[in-house]
Each structure stands twice: as structure tokens, then as C-alpha cells.
Amino acid sequence: MIKVMRTNRTVRAVVAAMGLFVVVAAIWAGVGYVYADDHKTMSATTVGLCVLAAGWLVILGAFGIKFGRLRARRRKSEHDG
């Protein structure tokens, strides 16, 4: 897996985007903590995890679509070739 991450630009981009969403989720967790009236820690955790989950689902969906298209293109080239 580590070798694939070093050589595959798509996998590196996905990992970088997931890391970016970790930072964005941490920022939104801080916002949730500041603006919560009661249960500040629970609000921060909920907001942060929701943002993180939504971002990662979008990224994994895009990765799945790209991977599926790549496999279809490879199958087509093998069939044509």
C-alpha cells in the first residue's frame, strides 16, 4: 500500500484531500465549540465529525467513480487490442 501511495498520483491526491478535510473539520469543531450554548464538547465533536464524514464520503465517491472509469477504459483497450 505504501508503494502504491508513492507512485500513484490519484491515491496521493485522495490522501491529501482527506487530510485537508481533517483540518477543515477541526476548524468547524472549534466553531461548534464557540457557538454552542450547552454541551460545548459534544457540539464540537458532533460538528467536527459530521464535516469530516461528509468530506470523506464525497472524496471516496469521486475516487470510486474515477477508479471505475479507469477500469472500464482498461477493459475496453484490452478488448479492442
Side-chain angles (χ1 to χ4, degrees):
M1 179 65 182
I2 300 297
K3 185 177 180 181
V4 170
M5 285 179 56
R6 281 189 288 165
T7 59
N8 192 331
R9 289 187 341 201
T10 302
V11 173
R12 283 190 307 198
V14 167
V15 171
M18 289 175 122
L20 178 65
F21 268 101
V22 168
V23 173
V24 170
I27 291 169
W28 275 103
V31 170
Y33 182 83
V34 169
Y35 287 108
D37 292 329
D38 297 327
H39 308 290
K40 289 184 176 274
T41 306
M42 188 172 64
S43 292
T45 304
T46 303
V47 170
L49 288 177
C50 286
V51 170
L52 184 65
W56 281 16
L57 283 174
V58 168
I59 292 168
L60 290 175
F63 179 73
I65 291 169
K66 180 173 175 107
F67 188 72
R69 287 182 177 177
L70 179 63
R71 285 181 53 133
R73 189 172 46 193
R74 285 185 181 166
R75 267 187 262 128
K76 184 179 178 186
S77 69
E78 288 175 1
H79 180 56
D80 292 342

